[in-house]
Amino acid sequence: MNETIKTILQRRSIRSFKDVEIKREDLELIVRCAIHAPSAMGSDYWHFTVINDGELIDELIRIMQVILDKPAYSMYHPKALIIPSTKRDYRFGREDNACALENIFIAATSLGIGSVWINQLCDYNDDDRLRAYYDKLAIPQDHVVYGIAALGYQDAEPQEKIRKGTFKYYG
């Protein structure tokens, strides 16, 4: 089977990570793959922030625990985060970021790195606590975040998932 298709079919959302650092070279390669995702009209308005620092990850987790009023919220304790952001007033920002995130997930899987989509932040871009965190990371002031890739080496083999999507072939 084609290796790319095999990787896509093997990709799973991983929600339990080992306490093992991810190499900078691997994170940079994953972001290069994200940058090669399609964007509407070739706009490429996105910005990628890579966090491979446990204290910065924990700070975001604490902020989200308060915002969500969920003291147990953990983002599954990832070892790294990749945060794509795009211009607030860009009409296709959500779609472009989704394409970039998918490339991130597939690239990570191909490197043996687990990933999961963290989507809670998209509803809180205007929260002052979250904006202050974004400012600390130099995420542009005119950008919003629609989703985050939480990354780490998987702690256990994921279960096979039965997919519910259907298709009809004509031809």
Side-chain angles (χ1 to χ4, degrees):
M1 179 183 298
N2 173 293
E3 287 302 313
T4 302
I5 292 174
K6 187 171 156 184
T7 299
I8 291 169
L9 295 175
Q10 289 175 341
R11 192 218 57 83
R12 299 285 180 274
S13 293
I14 304 301
R15 293 177 173 87
S16 179
F17 300 109
K18 293 179 183 177
D19 189 20
V20 176
E21 296 297 318
I22 299 172
K23 293 185 288 188
R24 180 182 179 139
E25 311 83 75
D26 287 343
L27 291 169
E28 289 177 358
L29 180 58
I30 292 168
V31 172
R32 282 185 49 217
C33 291
I35 290 169
H36 280 79
S39 67
M41 299 173 286
S43 62
D44 296 340
Y45 286 136
W46 44 40
H47 173 81
F48 295 92
T49 303
V50 181
I51 305 173
N52 200 17
D53 176 299
E55 289 180 26
L56 284 173
I57 293 170
D58 289 344
E59 182 179 349
L60 179 57
I61 290 169
R62 286 190 301 275
I63 290 167
M64 291 309 295
Q65 287 171 338
V66 172
I67 290 173
L68 297 172
D69 193 24
K70 292 184 177 181
Y73 184 78
S74 70
M75 290 195 302
Y76 310 107
H77 302 291
K79 294 309 294 178
L81 299 174
I82 299 177
I83 305 174
S85 63
T86 194
K87 290 183 177 186
R88 176 183 295 276
D89 61 355
Y90 172 50
R91 180 175 159 200
F92 300 107
R94 187 177 301 266
E95 293 86 349
D96 284 7
N97 278 350
C99 289
L101 283 164
E102 182 66 9
N103 275 21
I104 289 168
F105 301 141
I106 293 168
T109 299
S110 77
L111 296 170
I113 298 168
S115 62
V116 66
W117 189 335
I118 303 296
N119 60 13
Q120 288 83 3
L121 281 78
C122 68
D123 294 327
Y124 301 100
N125 279 296
D126 294 322
D127 186 282
D128 291 338
R129 296 162 290 196
L130 198 50
R131 184 67 249 176
Y133 182 78
Y134 292 166
D135 290 345
K136 181 178 185 173
L137 298 174
I139 293 175
Q141 277 283 324
D142 63 341
H143 275 218
V144 293
V145 173
Y146 293 109
I148 292 178
L151 306 170
Y153 293 99
Q154 61 192 35
D155 207 10
E157 199 60 37
Q159 298 294 316
E160 182 68 28
K161 181 175 180 168
I162 308 277
R163 297 296 177 166
K164 299 173 189 159
T166 63
F167 70 92
K168 178 73 174 168
Y169 177 79
Y170 296 91

